[in-house]
Amino acid sequence: MLKIGSHVSFSDKGLLTAAKEAISYGSSTFMIYTGAPQNTRRKAIDALYIPEGREVMAQHGIDEIVVHAPYIINLGSYKDSTFELAVNFLQEEIRRTQAIGVRNIVLHPGAYTDKDAAYGVQRIAEGLNEVLRATSETDVNIALETMAGKGTEVGRSFDELAAIIDKVEDNRRLTVCLDTCHIHDAGYDIVNNLDGVLEEFDRIVGLDRIAVVHMNDSKNPVGAGKDRHAPVGAGWLGHHAMKRVIQHEALAGRPFILETPWIGSDAKKERPMYEAEIALLRGDVEARFGQAYLEDVERLSSFFQQQDIDAREYVLSVWTTLKNDAKAKKADPREPMDRLYEMIMEANLFEALSEEQINQRILGWFAR
């Protein structure tokens, strides 16, 4: 069975809340932060509803989930206080991950800030050595995430990840989280050369290290080094390129996790597109949404065809304009899906549908 899901909330009743939200999207896996990713405040283990959450997971056939370490952990920092916080807090997070019953905790390797990449690689390896030694009683792996190349973050190339792994004494508990947006933004062309990129990864790091795949489209062209996620199909990767990732035999069996942005014309009413993205990528959209959904997508396709609008050409054209024409961006800063939604509303195409339902159908049009 394809393991596909999204980031879900761990608030309120912890794992029980997370499992129920994931199931509402039709997920077969999911990812959590054990607390707010921006701080170190954490609930006690016995307040996380772990048995109740795992019971719901078992009832729905979910046998593998993922934890993500908080953003505040920076093992690449030259500042002793920041480095020590990162080491100590990551150890705590690993023990919490073990208690929840999760095998892989995803970690942004770190940023070298005022130093250089070589320093960052060495410092991160130093921190990982400390953390792995101190948590040897667990069987939790640290999944180093591929990064986009933003700022001074380390892990923007497969070579940097390999260098970190090589410097860790007992690296058997180091795995990798492959992020589609990040490697695209870092310059790896998975749209036109997915096989070649995976072969390069295998040669440098080893495909057996990949434990998790983050499924995110990108708002920027290949090599931009920006790290800005887009809904599936609404960015430079596109639905079909991302589905090739899902279906690639070299990645079979891994959990695929969506971290795509919530969307909507009103910030207070933004909604995730996870349910539609999951169904479209898995290929069971009719079973999930019914025949009426497919009929609406066909109606949408005919409407845009009359406007002489091609999905991929339109999406890339809007992003290109927003990136390269400051005057045009100031006049109309709307992103592709926002513009398409407004066109549909102006034409009164789906008067009985909510904004969320219309956006779900736009994603279906992207996937045709």
Side-chain angles (χ1 to χ4, degrees):
M1 179 181 72
L2 176 66
K3 296 178 181 180
I4 183 169
S6 68
H7 165 229
V8 293
S9 173
F10 199 64
S11 61
D12 192 22
K13 293 185 177 181
L15 189 61
L16 180 59
T17 297
K20 287 182 175 179
E21 182 183 348
I23 290 161
S24 76
Y25 301 140
S27 304
S28 49
T29 184
F30 57 89
M31 185 179 75
I32 56 173
Y33 292 83
T34 74
Q38 303 89 354
N39 61 53
T40 60
R41 294 193 296 273
R42 294 293 184 269
K43 291 181 180 179
I45 293 294
D46 60 6
L48 299 181
Y49 290 80
I50 295 172
E52 295 88 344
R54 295 207 70 84
E55 181 179 352
V56 171
M57 288 167 54
Q59 290 170 356
H60 291 83
I62 299 176
D63 61 4
E64 181 179 10
I65 63 173
V66 180
V67 167
H68 199 304
Y71 308 138
I72 57 172
I73 292 176
N74 181 13
L75 292 176
S77 178
Y78 68 89
K79 296 179 180 179
D80 290 340
S81 59
T82 303
F83 180 78
E84 289 170 9
L85 169 68
V87 168
N88 293 331
F89 193 49
L90 182 55
Q91 292 174 24
E92 292 181 25
E93 287 292 277
I94 286 174
R95 294 187 183 105
R96 289 168 68 82
T97 300
Q98 175 85 359
I100 296 168
V102 177
R103 188 68 190 277
N104 285 282
I105 180 169
V106 175
L107 175 71
H108 292 183
Y112 56 81
T113 60
D114 296 335
K115 298 295 185 176
D116 58 27
Y119 176 89
V121 167
Q122 183 62 45
R123 187 69 154 166
I124 291 166
E126 177 187 342
L128 289 172
N129 275 320
E130 287 192 39
V131 170
L132 291 169
R133 283 195 295 267
T135 59
S136 60
E137 79 281 5
T138 77
D139 59 4
V140 174
N141 299 323
I142 300 174
L144 300 175
E145 186 166 346
T146 56
M147 304 307 292
K150 174 170 53 67
T152 65
E153 62 190 14
V154 181
R156 68 192 70 200
S157 71
F158 301 158
D159 292 291
E160 283 187 347
L161 287 179
I164 293 170
I165 293 168
D166 287 345
K167 291 179 181 296
V168 172
E169 296 161 4
D170 185 5
N171 60 31
R172 290 172 298 176
R173 283 171 55 209
L174 289 183
T175 56
V176 171
C177 171
L178 190 77
D179 187 300
T180 56
C181 171
H182 293 179
I183 61 175
H184 165 88
D185 280 26
Y188 296 97
D189 189 0
I190 59 173
V191 174
N192 300 301
N193 189 26
L194 177 60
D195 286 343
V197 171
L198 291 178
E199 287 168 6
E200 182 177 354
F201 185 94
D202 193 32
R203 184 173 67 254
I204 297 171
V205 180
L207 285 168
D208 59 323
R209 292 269 183 191
I210 297 178
V212 183
V213 181
H214 281 172
M215 295 295 292
N216 300 303
D217 212 326
S218 175
K219 295 182 179 181
N220 289 282
V222 63
K226 295 290 187 181
D227 185 12
R228 295 182 65 219
H229 299 182
V232 175
W236 282 83
L237 293 176
H239 170 88
H240 297 290
M242 296 186 71
K243 190 155 187 176
R244 286 195 293 273
V245 172
I246 287 273
Q247 295 176 333
H248 202 287
E249 61 181 9
L251 301 175
R254 277 75 162 186
F256 294 89
I257 304 293
L258 292 155
E259 300 174 302
T260 50
W262 292 26
I263 59 174
S265 58
D266 183 346
K268 294 181 180 179
K269 297 180 180 179
E270 288 181 344
R271 291 277 300 160
M273 290 291 102
Y274 299 147
E275 184 179 10
E277 290 170 320
I278 289 168
L280 288 162
L281 287 169
R282 187 162 50 205
D284 62 353
V285 69
E286 182 177 3
R288 186 72 186 178
F289 291 100
Q291 179 63 29
Y293 174 93
L294 298 180
E295 292 171 359
D296 288 343
V297 170
E298 286 303 317
R299 185 179 177 189
L300 199 59
S301 177
S302 297
F303 169 72
F304 285 128
Q305 190 172 14
Q306 291 169 11
Q307 313 299 316
D308 198 25
I309 295 176
D310 173 81
R312 290 306 297 150
E313 289 179 3
Y314 183 83
V315 167
L316 299 186
S317 174
V318 172
W319 285 126
T320 300
T321 298
L322 292 175
K323 180 178 177 62
N324 299 321
D325 192 332
K327 187 175 181 179
K329 181 178 181 179
K330 184 176 181 180
D332 186 358
R334 294 177 303 162
E335 297 183 356
M337 284 193 70
D338 298 321
R339 300 185 186 208
L340 293 167
Y341 172 76
E342 290 299 329
M343 287 185 207
I344 294 166
M345 292 300 291
E346 289 172 7
N348 293 318
L349 201 61
F350 299 118
E351 294 181 13
L353 299 182
S354 67
E355 181 176 9
E356 178 184 8
Q357 291 172 322
I358 291 173
N359 282 327
Q360 289 173 335
R361 283 147 179 79
I362 294 174
L363 292 183
W365 178 57
F366 289 156
R368 289 183 80 256

